[in-house]
């Protein structure tokens, strides 16, 4: 009884505590030591039970692409039995296979026959051969950039042996599957489509001219879309057609079915790092669409091997005959409806979305640190040099391995293609974008954000209008707009002093509020935090965790430097803290009735605290 009374008094005293923290989505990516840790080159070995595996897999690549055959997979001395294996890819499969080169891409399903089997906590492993990337670093470098702005696959390098033979250096790319969805969206049962047409670079299916997945309306019969979009979920054609119809014929409602901001972020990164093998680049493909539980489709980038221009340097630039310089590719390409790209045409002809897209471009440009990028590619190449040197099946020479990071490879290198250098592409692309008249505008400058009592205030300069964008959605979506003003009214103290204010919404709710600031002037937009909506502020109502049944009180929640566990345990009791993706980040033993846990080494996010059989969710600021 005494414990219950204590809990009630504490809850009453703390209910009005208020905090602002920044949600950091980077917690969703692998930690040091994880499967996609970049600090080591792991070595995988595949051994097939069937010595005729290659002929079987080549035949299934063309005629039964879902067929897998069993093999053992070994990593760090641990052997996994009955792994389902198939070949994957398109040009990176066709080119080496057509030339008798065994270094083809692999797709491994760890639990295809053995339920629950995982390789370092992952069920699917996709091994690209990096065949058309002399540097072996493009996918990794691009992935690190995409991860700053939207859910994106992780990438690192690995060595691969098959039947005891070293096939060379491979690019290990995370699969876009239910495990990926659970990691980034907290659920996995929505509609998932891979948006890549059925064209194959070689074999009998080569050149079948399937319609590109540009989200054009092709009628109500889902059969018309089968060669263009590959369904990866148990259902979803009705939902996809609803999205496509809304985009083309009811565009004013597109926000109700598409996470527009996520699409604009993907387009912005594509544009800045010259990944033009994408929807708003040269060829429409290489993306997934996932409809999360809030009803919105999310765009997820995929296959980043052509980032920093790469082999596309040699292709016909029929899109912009007035400026054939490939590094001057129009960042607003596709806004012309006659080109046949309804997603770019509908979004970029909306003045609000166009401003927002341009703001995202500026953010990516401003955060693209060329010194850090160069250091990262040097680190990767230094670590993988010996593995690349001994790779006898790579298409390029070992001198090209390093040369192509700082220089373009000419058209005589291979097959009449040119291969753009990574650093000169970044330099030339940033120079062009910086001078672009639509991008080269002065956006508003957003300063500090505060909530005092019930009023939010923010310092903004060079601005004509500003809004607080807020939501209580658990999915951090469908933000509502609340006008910020500098007129001396509605909580604003001094008119025209550059301090904008509004009454903070949802004050009577006990739920946390996710929010960001959006400011505009005539020509430009700014956001705070700059990576919104992927990042956002959280206004957290301090609510200690009260477990009357077990006589446990955990406070403060959110915690910043520590949390305290008040308890009536009669003996030392073990505890474990898990991250939002299930990784253990802290553990120990509660050995006093007032026990504190240090949180200083943990990133800002929510965590799960397990004490005995009970699990509590808390937030770390």
């Amino acid at each position: 009884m005494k414990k219950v009374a204590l809990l009630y008094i504490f809850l009453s005293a703390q209910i009005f505590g208020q905090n602002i923290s920044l949600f950091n989505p980077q917690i969703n990516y692998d930690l040091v030591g994880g499967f996609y840790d970049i600090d080591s080159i792991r070595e995988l070995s595949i051994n097939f039970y069937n010595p005729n595996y290659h002929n079987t897999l080549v035949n299934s690549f063309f005629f039964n692409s879902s067929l897998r055959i069993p093999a053992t997979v070994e990593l760090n001395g641990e052997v996994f039995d009955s792994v389902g294996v198939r070949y994957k890819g398109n040009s990176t499969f066709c080119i080496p296979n057509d030339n008798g080169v065994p270094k083809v891409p692999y797709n491994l399903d760890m639990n295809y026959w053995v339920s629950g089997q995982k390789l370092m906590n992952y069920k699917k492993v996709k091994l690209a051969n990096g065949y058309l990337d002399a540097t072996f670093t493009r996918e990794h470098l691009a992935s690190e950039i995409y991860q700053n702005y939207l859910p994106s696959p992780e990438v690192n390098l690995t060595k691969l042996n098959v039947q005891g033979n070293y096939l060379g250096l491979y690019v290990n790319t995370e699969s876009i599957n239910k495990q990926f969805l659970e990691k980034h969206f907290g659920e996995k049962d929505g509609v998932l489509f891979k948006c890549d047409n059925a064209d194959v670079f070689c074999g009998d299916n080569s050149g079948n001219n399937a319609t590109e997945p540009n989200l054009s309306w092709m009628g109500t019969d889902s059969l018309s879309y089968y060669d263009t979009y590959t369904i990866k979920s148990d259902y979803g054609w009705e939902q996809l057609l609803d999205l496509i119809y809304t985009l083309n014929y009811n565009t004013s409602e597109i926000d109700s079915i598409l996470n527009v901001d996520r699409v604009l972020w993907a387009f912005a990164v594509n544009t800045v790092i010259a990944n033009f093998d994408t929807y708003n680049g040269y060829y429409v493909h290489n993306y997934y669409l996932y409809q999360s539980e809030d009803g919105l489709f999310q765009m997820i980038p995929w296959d980043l091997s052509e980032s920093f221009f790469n082999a596309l340097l040699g292709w016909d630039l029929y899109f912009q005959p007035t400026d054939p310089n490939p590094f001057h590719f129009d960042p607003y390409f596709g806004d012309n409806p006659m080109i046949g790209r309804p997603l770019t045409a509908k979004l970029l002809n909306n003045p609000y979305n166009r401003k927002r897209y341009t703001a995202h471009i500026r953010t990516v440009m401003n955060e693209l640190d060329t010194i850090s990028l160069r250091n990262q590619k040097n680190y990767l190449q230094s670590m993988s040099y010996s593995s690349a040197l001994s790779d006898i099946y790579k298409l390029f020479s070992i001198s090209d391995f390093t040369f192509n990071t700082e220089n373009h490879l000419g058209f005589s290198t291979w097959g009449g293609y040119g291969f753009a250098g990574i650093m000169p592409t970044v330099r030339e692309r940033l120079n062009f974008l910086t001078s672009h008249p639509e991008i080269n505008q002065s956006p508003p400058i957003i300063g500090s954000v505060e909530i005092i009592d019930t009023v939010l205030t923010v310092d903004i300069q060079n601005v004509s209008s500003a809004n607080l964008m807020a939501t209580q959605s658990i999915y951090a979506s469908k933000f509502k707009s609340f006008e910020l003003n500098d007129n001396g009214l509605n909580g604003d103290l001094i008119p025209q002093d550059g301090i904008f204010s509004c009454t903070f919404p949802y004050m009577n709710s006990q739920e946390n509020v996710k929010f960001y600031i959006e400011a505009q002037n005539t020509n430009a937009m700014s956001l705070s935090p700059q990576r919104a909506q992927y990042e956002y502020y959280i206004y957290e109502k301090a609510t200690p965790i009260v477990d009357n049944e077990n006589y446990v009180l955990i406070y403060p929640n959110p915690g910043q430097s520590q949390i305290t566990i008040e308890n009536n345990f009669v003996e030392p009791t073990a505890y474990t803290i898990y991250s939002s993706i299930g990784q253990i980040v802290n553990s120990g033993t509660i050995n006093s009735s007032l026990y504190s846990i240090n949180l200083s080494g943990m990133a800002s996010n929510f965590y799960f605290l397990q004490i005995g059989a009970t699990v509590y969710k808390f937030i770390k600021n």
Side-chain angles (χ1 to χ4, degrees):
M1 192 71 182
K2 179 180 177 182
K3 176 65 70 174
V4 174
L6 172 63
L7 297 179
Y8 177 79
I9 291 169
F10 183 85
L11 179 62
S12 299
Q14 293 295 319
I15 198 70
F16 299 108
Q18 300 170 357
N19 294 277
I20 297 178
S21 62
L22 178 66
F23 172 69
N24 177 15
Q26 301 308 309
I27 191 68
N28 292 325
Y29 297 101
D30 265 7
L31 301 174
V32 174
F35 188 48
Y36 293 100
D37 183 1
I38 67 167
D39 291 327
S40 62
I41 305 292
R42 294 191 180 87
E43 187 164 3
L44 277 173
S45 294
I46 301 174
N47 288 286
F48 291 95
Y49 304 114
N50 179 4
N52 192 38
Y53 72 93
H54 180 66
N55 290 335
T56 301
L57 290 179
V58 169
N59 183 70
S60 66
F61 178 87
F62 294 112
F63 303 111
N64 186 8
S65 60
S66 62
L67 175 70
R68 294 178 184 270
I69 62 175
T72 64
V73 171
E74 182 177 352
L75 175 65
N76 298 329
E78 185 175 4
V79 177
F80 302 85
D81 289 324
S82 301
V83 176
V85 181
R86 65 175 176 85
Y87 290 154
K88 63 178 284 290
N90 195 337
S91 59
T92 53
F93 168 82
C94 291
I95 295 171
N97 186 68
D98 285 354
N99 289 279
V101 177
K103 188 183 181 183
V104 295
Y106 283 80
N107 182 310
L108 313 180
D109 189 336
M110 301 302 297
N111 67 347
Y112 191 74
W113 280 290
V114 181
S115 178
Q117 182 168 248
K118 297 179 182 179
L119 184 67
M120 293 189 68
N121 203 41
Y122 285 88
K123 297 177 182 179
K124 283 277 188 75
V125 179
K126 291 190 174 182
L127 301 172
N129 57 5
Y131 206 64
L132 295 176
D133 177 14
T135 75
F136 285 95
T137 64
R138 294 177 193 271
E139 284 220 56
H140 170 80
L141 295 174
S143 171
E144 291 283 305
I145 296 171
Y146 279 95
Q147 288 172 30
N148 290 327
Y149 310 106
L150 71 164
S152 305
E154 299 191 68
V155 177
N156 65 2
L157 298 175
T158 189
K159 296 186 290 184
L160 181 64
N161 303 284
V162 175
Q163 302 299 90
N165 298 314
Y166 178 55
L167 291 192
L169 190 60
Y170 273 70
V171 180
N172 177 26
T173 304
E174 185 178 9
S175 176
I176 309 299
N177 58 8
K178 287 189 174 183
Q179 194 169 9
F180 176 93
L181 302 175
E182 181 74 35
K183 183 165 75 170
H184 288 282
F185 303 107
E187 40 90 359
K188 58 186 178 181
D189 298 322
V191 171
L192 179 65
F193 278 90
K194 183 178 182 181
C195 302
D196 233 337
N197 62 37
D199 281 346
V200 177
F201 199 77
C202 57
D204 293 340
N205 294 324
S206 179
N208 65 8
N209 296 317
T211 303
E212 61 184 11
N214 61 11
L215 302 178
S216 290
W217 180 249
M218 295 186 288
T220 58
D221 188 351
S222 60
L223 287 172
S224 303
Y225 301 82
Y226 278 15
D227 286 341
T228 304
Y229 307 90
T230 302
I231 191 167
K232 296 291 186 178
S233 48
D234 297 331
Y235 68 99
W237 287 109
E238 179 182 350
Q239 289 79 359
L240 179 66
L241 267 61
D242 187 19
L243 168 68
I244 295 174
Y245 185 87
T246 302
L247 172 67
N248 286 273
Y249 300 111
N250 195 12
T251 311
S252 63
E253 301 296 322
I254 192 62
D255 282 336
S256 68
I257 196 171
L258 178 69
N259 189 323
V260 171
D261 185 68
R262 188 140 290 163
V263 173
L264 297 177
W265 272 119
F267 286 177
V269 183
N270 294 343
T271 286
V272 175
I273 70 170
N275 183 11
F276 297 142
D277 205 20
T278 54
Y279 191 103
N280 62 324
Y282 285 3
Y283 307 110
V284 180
H285 67 149
N286 288 340
Y287 68 97
Y288 280 75
L289 287 173
Y290 178 64
Q291 189 179 38
S292 48
E293 285 189 357
D294 59 357
L296 301 182
F297 274 96
Q298 320 280 329
M299 177 175 277
I300 301 170
W302 172 248
D303 191 355
L304 313 178
S305 62
E306 294 303 311
S307 298
F308 312 107
F309 229 127
N310 203 21
L312 288 173
L313 189 63
W315 290 76
D316 179 19
L317 303 179
Y318 64 89
F319 299 116
Q320 43 181 32
T322 58
D323 187 355
N325 186 330
F327 301 105
H328 294 179
F329 186 75
D330 182 5
Y332 301 94
F333 172 73
D335 61 353
N336 182 351
M338 300 303 294
I339 291 175
R341 300 198 181 184
L343 188 57
T344 46
K346 300 293 186 178
L347 296 187
L348 298 185
N349 280 296
N350 176 296
Y352 173 83
N353 288 329
R354 192 175 181 107
K355 263 190 184 180
R356 193 176 185 93
Y357 168 62
T358 306
H360 292 347
I361 290 176
R362 289 193 199 94
T363 297
V364 179
M365 291 171 60
N366 292 337
E367 294 186 348
L368 186 53
D369 183 345
T370 55
I371 295 176
S372 296
L373 186 68
R374 176 172 279 110
N375 289 340
Q376 181 78 328
K377 64 91 176 172
N378 287 343
Y379 175 75
L380 287 169
Q381 289 208 316
S382 174
M383 183 172 53
S384 61
Y385 183 84
S386 61
S387 302
L389 180 64
S390 56
D391 182 348
I392 63 174
Y393 299 118
K394 61 182 179 292
L395 181 63
F396 299 89
S397 70
I398 194 62
S399 61
D400 292 336
F401 174 72
T402 52
F403 181 84
N404 195 213
T405 64
E406 298 286 350
N407 304 274
H408 302 314
L409 287 173
F411 294 107
S412 61
T413 305
W414 178 84
Y417 290 79
F419 294 83
I422 293 174
M423 297 311 299
T425 293
V426 172
R427 181 176 61 251
E428 295 182 50
R429 188 64 179 158
L430 289 180
N431 286 341
F432 168 72
L433 294 175
T434 300
S435 63
H436 192 284
E438 196 163 345
I439 297 171
N440 185 22
Q441 298 289 337
S442 297
I445 301 171
I446 304 176
S448 59
V449 179
E450 291 183 294
I451 297 176
I452 303 174
D453 294 327
T454 62
V455 176
L456 178 140
T457 64
V458 54
D459 179 8
I460 313 176
Q461 306 299 321
N462 191 31
V463 61
S464 56
S465 66
N467 293 286
L468 163 68
M469 308 297 292
T471 184
Q472 287 191 293
S473 166
I474 62 174
Y475 307 107
S477 64
K478 300 183 179 179
F479 286 80
K480 294 183 179 179
S481 177
F482 301 86
E483 184 179 4
L484 289 163
N485 59 80
D486 188 17
N487 57 8
L489 303 174
N490 300 318
D492 185 59
L493 295 177
I494 304 173
Q496 307 305 314
D497 65 345
I499 305 297
F500 286 71
S501 308
C502 75
T503 300
F504 196 77
Y506 312 117
M507 275 296 187
N508 293 327
S509 168
Q510 295 307 308
E511 298 295 325
N512 293 334
V513 182
K514 305 170 181 69
F515 72 97
Y516 63 94
I517 307 300
E518 174 189 278
Q520 298 186 60
N521 57 34
T522 303
N523 299 312
M525 177 186 293
S526 290
L527 304 171
S528 177
Q530 291 189 79
R531 297 177 182 179
Q533 301 169 6
Y534 192 38
E535 291 183 1
Y536 46 82
Y537 299 117
I538 304 175
Y539 176 78
E540 297 165 320
K541 315 290 178 67
T543 53
I545 299 168
V546 181
D547 181 358
N548 287 324
E549 181 178 352
N550 295 304
Y551 298 108
V552 171
L553 172 67
I554 302 170
Y555 59 88
N557 180 37
Q560 186 168 4
S561 60
Q562 68 176 29
I563 57 171
T564 296
I565 303 170
E566 196 167 335
N567 63 88
N568 278 352
F569 301 151
V570 296
E571 59 184 26
T573 303
Y575 74 86
T576 305
I577 297 178
Y578 297 90
S579 72
S580 60
I581 58 173
Q583 295 174 322
I584 296 176
V585 296
N586 197 337
S587 62
T589 301
I590 301 169
N591 51 24
S592 65
S593 61
L594 201 63
Y595 184 84
S596 295
I597 300 175
N598 187 348
L599 306 180
S600 58
M602 296 163 51
S604 298
N605 209 322
F606 67 85
Y607 293 86
F608 298 99
L609 168 64
Q610 182 171 1
I611 303 174
T614 307
V615 177
Y616 308 95
K617 181 179 176 180
F618 73 93
I619 297 170
K620 196 274 183 184
N621 271 346

